[in-house]
Amino acid sequence: MSIKNLYCRTFQGAFSIINKLIPDYKQDVLSGEGKLYEIPALLKERGLNHPLIVSGERVSKTEFFNTFVSKITGQYSIYNSVKSDPGITQINQMADFYRKNNCDSIIAIGGGSNLDAAKAMGALIVRPQKTLQELGGLLKVRKKLPFFVAVPTTAGTGSECTIASVVTDDSINRKYSVGDPVLLPDVAVLDPVLTVTLPANLTAYTGMDALTHAVESFLNTSYHKKNTRAQALSAIKDIFEYLPKAFENGSDILARQKMLHSSYMAGLSFTTAAVGYVHAVAHAVGGLYQVQHGLANSIILPRMLERYRPKIDLQLAELAELIGAASPDADTQAKASAFIEAVYKLNKKMGLPQCLPQIKEEDASKMAVWADKEANPLYPVPVILNRKDLEEFILSLKN
């Protein structure tokens, strides 16, 4: 075993002990059609009278958004220009906007970018002497955010139930995360009606992001707690069944509700067990080339599963049986191959690309460094890769 492997596994072993001692984070969940409109009552119960509503341009133009705003009595402010993969510059502007308007709570409505931007903004609000660069990493906020309601309009990131916010340092186009239990929203609202207008391509991207969360956390067995495995398996099974249905018919309310629930389950799972190299590489590629995060994950996931083999064949075999991709009497290697092939087929069914031709050879080393720094030593991945391995893997994504 190399020195790096020994260090990473030792760190992960110690962290797994600590992780199991940490109590599960508590959050209120409102799930079902029309639950969006129960938020004003929640604010009133808590004596809050000036929320900042955070969203993006697309969401702020929807009928449900305008109906929701009309139901708020009293003051409110709206910041409705969050960009995809929000940068530090914009998040600083959002925090200034919150303070200028004397807001007392946060309602984030939208996809992962909107929710993550609102979380990062909240961190700056309670830690005004710190920069987001200084708050990057784990457990550096350590002060409760203002009352926070997270309302996902996509079924993918799970940001509504996680303790992390992914932001982009727009000075160098690098993504990184701010992670702390205080970032967990007080309330998550899972209203399937809000996802009906989501375009098919974004349905596919975000659904594959949720699948990646579930698969990577399922593989990270050393961090598992009592419910982690069941949460991941539930998400994987339902995503394979309901993502194609939501993609093909956006008005299928049952499929939309199942996908919201799956995204939430996957979010809970990876909050406990973390993710892995798929996400680390996707963040590097997405930050440098502005590739949508779920799209990057969809391309990287099956290739990284192949890279991990045969270390994970038993786990992949179990997943193949779970989704009906292989018969119980097939051998382990055949089942493992069947699951990876099922991921490729799901991508193909939704018309997703199979490679990232925009990757430049001269950028591979830099992205490998970023991915290595994100993943090691924290992520308990099945196989530890060094920077040379990661560089070669990143270059392989070109074709």
Side-chain angles (χ1 to χ4, degrees), residues 323-345:
I323 65 171
S327 63
D329 56 350
D331 65 55
T332 298
Q333 289 185 336
K335 290 178 186 177
S337 296
F339 181 77
I340 295 173
E341 184 60 28
V343 178
Y344 279 122
K345 287 180 178 178

Side-chain angles (χ1 to χ4, degrees), residues 16 62 69 102 110 125 157 183 227 244 263 271 292 302 347 362 366:
S16 68
T62 61
V69 170
N102 297 312
I125 290 166
T157 69
L183 297 185
N227 298 319
S263 176
T271 292
Q292 203 279 343
N347 283 336
E362 60 267 28
K366 175 168 58 177

Side-chain angles (χ1 to χ4, degrees), residues 84-85 175 282-283 285-297 299 356 358-359:
S84 179
D85 298 323
K175 287 187 178 182
H283 286 152
V285 171
L288 195 58
Y289 300 120
Q290 289 74 59
V291 179
Q292 203 279 343
H293 179 61
L295 174 58
N297 277 337
I299 296 168
L356 292 163
Q358 60 267 64
I359 290 175

